[in-house]
Amino acid sequence: RKEVEQDPGPFNVPEGATVAFNCTYSNSASQSFFWYRQDCRKEPKLLMSVYSSGNEDGRFTAQLNRASQYISLLIRDSKLSDSATYLCVVNDLNNDMRFGAGTRLTVKP
Amino acid sequence: NAGVTQTPKFRILKIGQSMTLQCAQDMNHNYMYWYRQDPGMGLKLIYYSVGAGITDKGEVPNGYNVSRSTTEDFPLRLELAAPSQTSVYFCASRTDRGWGTQYFGPGTRLTVL
């Protein structure tokens, strides 16, 4: 079983749609959780951290379910500029970051 | 600040050749990392460093070496290149307390033929 698993997609949605990505992790002792965004042929960049209580940043909402060991990212009112690959990242006890393979999103006009 | 810089951007190597991928950061970060990203796969940690003079292996260190003589620079050496090392290589750095916030360089696309 992969340490961090994501649905690879691609997710093709129209502008204005709401889209949700899920991610599961295998290490129950994982400490902290993040979503990174990676544009085509570019480096990953931190999108947001994921807190136990859930957190929101504009159109983006991240949630964590420790009992089920999954993390989610919800994007509301999708924009063309949201097209990218979204990487789920989990920090384990050694503070090593484990990256999921990413979920590709394409937002179409 | 330039952030994290990497050179070269692209390189084609023949099997058995060697090369050094350069990485530098101007943010005075102690923590630095080397990852590789294969198509459709997540980033895999090759080596990391917690400060000048200190390096340690990550998940996939075989075929690579690193050194960290200064805070700024963290070069990755490939000896005897193999086709399996064809990948995109990213260098990253972070502050001591910034567990989740890694700053990545633009990457080096390496092809071994």
Side-chain angles (χ1 to χ4, degrees):
Chain A
R1 183 184 171 187
K2 288 183 184 175
E3 292 181 73
V4 181
E5 288 203 70
Q6 296 182 249
D7 182 341
F11 284 62
N12 297 310
V13 303
E15 267 187 297
T18 295
V19 61
F21 307 136
N22 288 328
C23 166
T24 57
Y25 60 94
S26 60
N27 185 352
S28 59
S30 295
Q31 297 289 300
S32 47
F33 311 89
F34 310 90
W35 284 100
Y36 273 67
R37 170 191 168 128
Q38 186 173 24
D39 292 309
C40 188
R41 302 178 78 83
K42 297 284 190 181
E43 71 273 21
K45 292 184 179 177
L46 178 67
L47 177 67
M48 60 196 300
S49 302
V50 186
Y51 302 121
S52 297
S53 53
N55 48 300
E56 193 173 300
D57 183 0
R59 298 181 292 108
F60 298 83
T61 300
Q63 301 231 313
L64 167 65
N65 184 321
R66 282 190 185 269
S68 301
Q69 293 178 213
Y70 84 76
I71 307 145
S72 64
L73 177 68
L74 182 78
I75 305 175
R76 289 182 300 278
D77 189 22
S78 300
K79 311 289 184 194
L80 295 176
S81 57
D82 293 335
S83 297
T85 297
Y86 291 84
L87 307 176
C88 175
V89 184
V90 174
N91 230 14
D92 68 17
L93 271 177
N94 297 322
N95 288 311
D96 288 338
M97 289 174 71
R98 304 291 183 185
F99 288 78
T103 298
R104 205 167 107 217
L105 170 67
T106 301
V107 181
K108 300 190 171 179
Chain B
N1 286 352
V4 180
T5 57
Q6 291 183 239
T7 55
K9 288 187 178 175
F10 305 93
R11 184 72 186 268
I12 297 175
L13 281 182
K14 292 183 179 176
I15 294 172
Q17 286 185 319
S18 301
M19 76 166 292
T20 300
L21 281 67
Q22 300 292 346
C23 173
Q25 52 90 10
D26 60 0
M27 297 175 282
N28 203 32
H29 289 169
N30 284 322
Y31 287 75
M32 294 187 75
Y33 303 84
W34 273 106
Y35 295 92
R36 60 176 287 172
Q37 186 177 34
D38 299 328
M41 306 289 285
L43 279 76
K44 300 288 186 187
L45 182 64
I46 304 171
Y47 270 95
Y48 68 97
S49 169
V50 301
I54 307 169
T55 62
D56 210 345
K57 295 178 181 178
E59 202 177 344
V60 290
N62 291 344
Y64 307 95
N65 275 302
V66 294
S67 59
R68 185 98 182 266
S69 56
T70 66
T71 300
E72 294 76 22
D73 300 298
F74 190 38
L76 177 72
R77 178 88 179 152
L78 276 73
E79 305 281 2
L80 298 174
S84 61
Q85 293 178 304
T86 295
S87 191
V88 181
Y89 291 83
F90 289 104
C91 178
S93 72
R94 69 166 175 87
T95 62
D96 290 3
R97 288 182 174 274
W99 307 119
T101 308
Q102 292 197 6
Y103 299 88
F104 284 82
T108 293
R109 293 184 176 274
L110 176 67
T111 302
V112 182
L113 300 173

